[in-house]
Amino acid sequence: MLPYTSIHEAEAALGRGLTAAEALWFNYSANKSDYFLYCHNIIFLFLIFSLVPLYYLILEFFFRNSVQPYKIQPKVKLSLSDYFNCYKSVMRMFVIVVGPLQLLSYPSIKMIGIRTSLPLPSVWEILAQLTMYFMIEDYTNYWIHRFLHCKWGYEKIHKVHHEYTAPIGFAAPYAHWAEVLILGIPAFLGPSLVPGHMITFWLWIALRQIEAIETHSGYDLPWTPTKYIPFYGGSDYHDYHHYVGGLSQSNFASVFTYCDYIYGTDKGYRYQKKVLQQLRDGLGNDGDQYGVPFDTSSESLKVD
């Protein structure tokens, strides 16, 4: 809750007039507790898990012929019932684990110094902090993900997420409850090391989940803005990880590709891409991605 009773009082404390964004923030948050503002994340996550995957669902069922060349595993087709069952499982986990976790984790947010006060951070400050959050989460997630692919971690926890060998957007948060909790650590680590404003924290949670849905979408769409981000993995990169399956020792990174490159865990993916490109150059494109059906002709090219 802001310690000001009016905009004039806030302007006097800051020694300047409020920007338009700061005035909006004041009018919205002045009488709301910090806990209430933090709990907005529950609403944001529910809307993201429910609405963002619908974009890919609409493409799948209403624009199938147009987007078929961009589907990574074109022979895999799920029914509406399959999508709905996945969504139900995700919502069940949301109610049982994600929501309560958000409600109970507020003291840690106060402890690390996430603020709701004025002034608001500049756009450049927000971008710099979000970049740090993505980098920190990506590196930490890489090593946790590798642990989850050891025999014990996979059989006891991570195999639930790998039930979708051809991932879909709704399956991005589809996981064992323990994995949901474990992967909350790298997501929280960035804001704990570089604490910022609540708005930045909201953006971080929202963007990270939207990114996860994109990488699990099953489509490598050429108009996706993330293609312009340096070292970004994307859907094709992560789809290979699911395609190879439980024994995969490739493409562990959650967002970027540099960790896999540095530690040599992208060799199978790069080899497959090289061979498929040679096949495409030699055989020509017959309508399926890479010139051959991804899920049949590339079966022998699975490399850990």
Side-chain angles (χ1 to χ4, degrees), residues 104-299:
L104 296 174
S105 59
Y106 174 70
S108 61
I109 293 298
K110 294 298 292 183
M111 180 181 66
I112 65 176
I114 299 295
R115 65 183 182 88
T116 61
S117 59
L118 294 173
L120 294 183
S122 67
V123 172
W124 293 113
E125 180 181 342
I126 292 174
L127 290 176
Q129 289 179 330
L130 288 176
T131 300
M132 290 299 300
Y133 296 171
F134 271 105
M135 296 290 288
I136 292 170
E137 191 274 345
D138 185 69
Y139 187 82
T140 313
N141 185 290
Y142 172 85
W143 289 106
I144 293 177
H145 196 178
R146 287 192 68 168
F147 162 74
L148 290 174
H149 271 269
C150 71
K151 182 178 177 59
W152 183 90
Y154 186 83
E155 291 183 355
K156 299 296 184 182
I157 300 174
H158 194 49
K159 69 177 181 180
V160 174
H161 184 65
H162 272 270
E163 289 176 11
Y164 288 87
T165 56
I168 57 176
F170 282 112
Y174 180 85
H176 190 281
W177 64 267
E179 181 169 349
V180 174
L181 295 177
I182 292 170
L183 293 184
I185 297 172
F188 186 74
L189 189 57
S192 67
L193 295 176
V194 189
H197 198 274
M198 184 67 74
I199 292 176
T200 308
F201 189 77
W202 287 348
L203 286 171
W204 159 238
I205 297 299
L207 290 174
R208 179 63 185 90
Q209 296 307 315
I210 292 171
E211 185 278 331
I213 291 170
E214 180 201 329
T215 57
H216 288 82
S217 68
Y219 284 94
D220 187 23
L221 302 173
W223 56 81
T224 303
T226 50
K227 286 186 174 292
Y228 298 98
I229 299 176
F231 307 110
Y232 182 73
S235 54
D236 181 71
Y237 191 81
H238 190 68
D239 198 281
Y240 177 81
H241 176 80
H242 279 262
Y243 175 67
V244 173
L247 298 178
S248 173
Q249 296 299 315
S250 297
N251 297 19
F252 292 111
S254 60
V255 181
F256 303 106
T257 60
Y258 68 93
C259 278
D260 284 305
Y261 181 80
I262 292 172
Y263 299 112
T265 48
D266 65 346
K267 294 178 180 178
Y269 173 74
R270 288 190 285 122
Y271 172 78
Q272 189 210 46
K273 296 293 286 185
K274 177 182 177 181
V275 174
L276 289 175
Q277 182 63 46
Q278 292 172 346
L279 288 173
R280 182 168 60 182
D281 293 342
L283 300 177
N285 196 324
D286 63 2
D288 288 317
Q289 188 173 358
Y290 308 126
V292 291
F294 182 93
D295 62 333
T296 55
S297 299
S298 60
E299 183 72 28

Side-chain angles (χ1 to χ4, degrees), residues 31-103:
N31 297 318
K32 294 179 175 65
S33 69
D34 290 355
Y35 179 68
F36 180 81
L37 294 172
Y38 172 67
C39 288
H40 281 45
N41 272 326
I42 298 176
I43 300 174
F44 297 152
L45 288 173
F46 172 76
L47 292 175
I48 289 168
F49 290 162
S50 301
L51 299 180
V52 176
L54 285 179
Y55 170 65
Y56 300 101
L57 184 67
I58 291 171
L59 291 179
E60 174 76 14
F61 285 95
F62 294 98
F63 300 93
R64 178 171 293 172
N65 292 336
S66 298
V67 299
Q68 186 70 5
Y70 311 121
K71 189 167 183 178
I72 301 169
Q73 299 189 49
K75 298 297 183 181
V76 178
K77 292 180 173 62
L78 300 180
S79 66
L80 274 174
S81 177
D82 294 327
Y83 280 89
F84 184 65
N85 288 334
C86 178
Y87 177 71
K88 284 196 303 182
S89 297
V90 168
M91 284 298 103
R92 182 164 54 248
M93 191 63 63
F94 182 84
V95 172
I96 296 173
V97 179
V98 177
L101 180 64
Q102 292 291 315
L103 292 172

